[in-house]
Amino acid sequence: AGGGGGEPFYPFPTEENQKQFRRYQDLAVAEEALNQVYFVGRLANYKYFNMDDAIKNALELYVRLEGTTLLDEALAEGEKRIPRTDALGVHYVVSLPATGHARDLDLSWLARLCSLSELDGVVAEPKFFVYNMNRRLDWVFEEKLADVAGCQELVEGRTLFVRNVAPGPVELSWLEYVSQHSFGFGDSNVFIDASAKVDLQAIEAGLRIQASRLFSRKMTQASHAEVVKTDIRTLDSWSLNEKSWPVGSLSALLDSGALMLNLAHAFPLDRKGLRPPGSTGARRGTGVLSGLPKSCPQMSTRLFVATDAAIRRMLSVHRTNIYDSLIPELRKEPSAERFARDLQSVWFCLFFRPVR
């Protein structure tokens, strides 16, 4: 419908318009009977629908035509995939090596991760996101996972996702994950370089820290009310500059000051732990890394954990740099490895802003 000046507006229920609508309804009924063409939604009903009502209208037509059996099955399957709010969603983000043969790939540690379903009274629900740099290893991870006791449900329940990525440093896989998922991260996200030794005890210890310190207080998701009003990126760097902090002694560091609790959102899980700024992986002045502190505490990129809140806050600051600079630089040959070393030296400062 339109006004005198031809400006469109919502249906105006005058008697004349309603008569016109009923004529269209008669034509629609005839079209259904002759050609099985069905009309739903706002235009078909000649009234405004909110989107939920529009979807309901389509579902009601489906039930009228097909019955409820398939719809009930689809709804039941969908309920299985809705994350539980009372369970710690754990995403294991695994990077497979670009070199080597599938038969040489040791994934025996999968059994422990699959069975890690409880953390000090908190239920853990795992998903695996595998970034494969070697197409010869396609689906090898899924096949090996299916052979591990306790992991079959992950394969059958479609909570295993394998993606091919271009060969490159492990940091490329991590940035592909954070850039592709946007708002689909787990409460805890464990990043695992499958070419290195996997420390299962450290992984479990790290998840326990996040379960007790953050998840129990509803602070793992960026949308949680307590996180929204908290600057989780700021840390007191004094303690970080004095000594190394392996995951086993991290609790003492978290208790050392109000700002240090933020560290529970992202930390390394390797034996060296969090280390003071030093000469290891010294930056080479790469312009792409401009804007980051010249001196950062050191954390390994081979094995670390980060919450949804930490990743999304990091993306809010560095998303453009990741898309436009970091990922393209890590895909380049032969300079990708050198750039990765530069990036490793400031990896911690992607997540945090140390202050004194």
Side-chain angles (χ1 to χ4, degrees):
E7 182 180 354
F9 50 77
Y10 288 115
F12 196 75
T14 63
E15 183 177 349
E16 180 183 353
N17 286 345
Q18 291 299 327
K19 288 181 180 178
Q20 181 76 355
F21 170 56
R22 284 191 288 272
R23 286 196 288 272
Y24 279 118
Q25 276 187 313
D26 292 339
L27 292 173
V29 170
E31 192 68 16
E32 284 188 17
L34 292 174
N35 300 312
Q36 287 76 53
V37 176
Y38 303 93
F39 300 87
V40 292
R42 299 170 179 174
L43 188 60
N45 291 273
Y46 193 53
K47 64 180 178 180
Y48 178 80
F49 281 157
N50 285 328
M51 187 53 65
D52 55 346
D53 289 325
I55 294 172
K56 179 183 177 183
N57 183 229
L59 290 175
E60 287 172 342
L61 174 64
Y62 179 87
V63 169
R64 176 164 69 86
L65 298 176
E66 301 291 342
T68 63
T69 302
L70 291 178
L71 181 60
D72 289 341
E73 291 177 358
L75 291 174
E77 180 65 23
E79 287 180 357
K80 295 179 183 177
R81 303 188 189 185
I82 298 175
R84 293 173 50 180
T85 57
D86 62 338
L88 181 76
V90 182
H91 287 187
Y92 295 103
V93 188
V94 181
S95 181
L96 299 183
T99 59
H101 194 277
R103 287 175 296 186
D104 302 324
L105 192 62
D106 179 18
L107 297 176
S108 57
W109 42 270
L110 288 172
R112 176 57 185 157
L113 296 184
C114 289
S115 63
L116 192 59
S117 58
E118 190 272 334
L119 299 160
D120 297 331
V122 176
V123 175
E125 289 193 334
K127 289 184 179 180
F128 285 86
F129 294 84
V130 183
Y131 288 84
N132 175 27
M133 297 185 185
N134 185 348
R135 290 186 180 274
R136 290 179 297 174
L137 299 180
D138 270 1
W139 307 111
V140 168
F141 193 93
E142 182 172 358
E143 292 172 1
K144 286 181 177 284
L145 194 64
D147 293 335
V148 177
C151 286
Q152 294 91 337
E153 289 185 9
L154 294 175
V155 178
E156 296 169 0
R158 300 178 187 176
T159 55
L160 168 69
F161 307 90
V162 181
R163 296 186 175 120
N164 286 310
V165 293
V170 68
E171 293 78 17
L172 177 60
S173 294
W174 308 154
L175 294 180
E176 293 278 11
Y177 170 76
V178 301
S179 65
Q180 290 173 4
H181 279 70
S182 188
F183 297 104
F185 306 113
D187 291 291
S188 296
N189 304 267
V190 183
F191 295 81
I192 303 171
D193 180 359
S195 66
K197 184 177 180 180
V198 179
D199 189 337
L200 297 173
Q201 288 185 333
I203 291 176
E204 183 171 351
L207 290 175
R208 289 185 185 280
I209 287 174
Q210 291 193 334
S212 62
R213 301 270 182 160
L214 300 176
F215 182 76
S216 62
R217 300 171 56 194
K218 295 188 181 301
M219 288 192 67
T220 50
Q221 293 283 333
S223 58
H224 285 157
E226 192 63 29
V227 175
V228 170
K229 63 183 182 181
T230 303
D231 179 9
I232 65 169
R233 285 178 51 81
T234 300
L235 291 175
D236 181 354
S237 64
W238 185 86
S239 298
L240 304 179
N241 293 338
E242 295 300 309
K243 56 183 271 190
S244 295
W245 295 91
V247 66
S249 61
L250 200 59
S251 291
L253 180 59
L254 297 176
D255 292 332
S256 65
L259 285 180
M260 296 314 297
L261 180 60
N262 291 341
L263 184 60
H265 282 281
F267 51 88
L269 298 172
D270 64 322
R271 288 185 177 182
K272 293 181 179 179
L274 190 60
R275 291 158 287 154
S279 59
T280 303
R283 291 175 59 185
R284 293 169 172 79
T286 309
V288 175
L289 301 179
S290 60
L292 292 170
K294 294 181 179 180
S295 180
C296 288
Q298 302 291 288
M299 68 180 284
S300 171
T301 57
R302 286 179 174 262
L303 185 64
F304 68 96
V305 63
T307 62
D308 168 270
I311 295 173
R312 283 166 61 178
R313 287 288 178 89
M314 182 270 284
L315 284 174
S316 70
V317 177
H318 299 292
R319 185 189 302 272
T320 300
N321 205 18
I322 287 173
Y323 282 123
D324 296 345
S325 302
L326 301 189
I327 289 179
E329 287 290 335
L330 289 171
R331 287 175 176 165
K332 286 182 181 178
E333 291 292 346
S335 60
E337 291 294 339
R338 182 180 64 82
F339 181 80
R341 289 194 295 271
D342 291 351
L343 185 56
Q344 289 162 15
S345 68
V346 293
W347 193 256
F348 181 84
C349 287
L350 288 177
F351 293 96
F352 296 111
R353 182 175 57 252
V355 296
R356 295 202 67 169

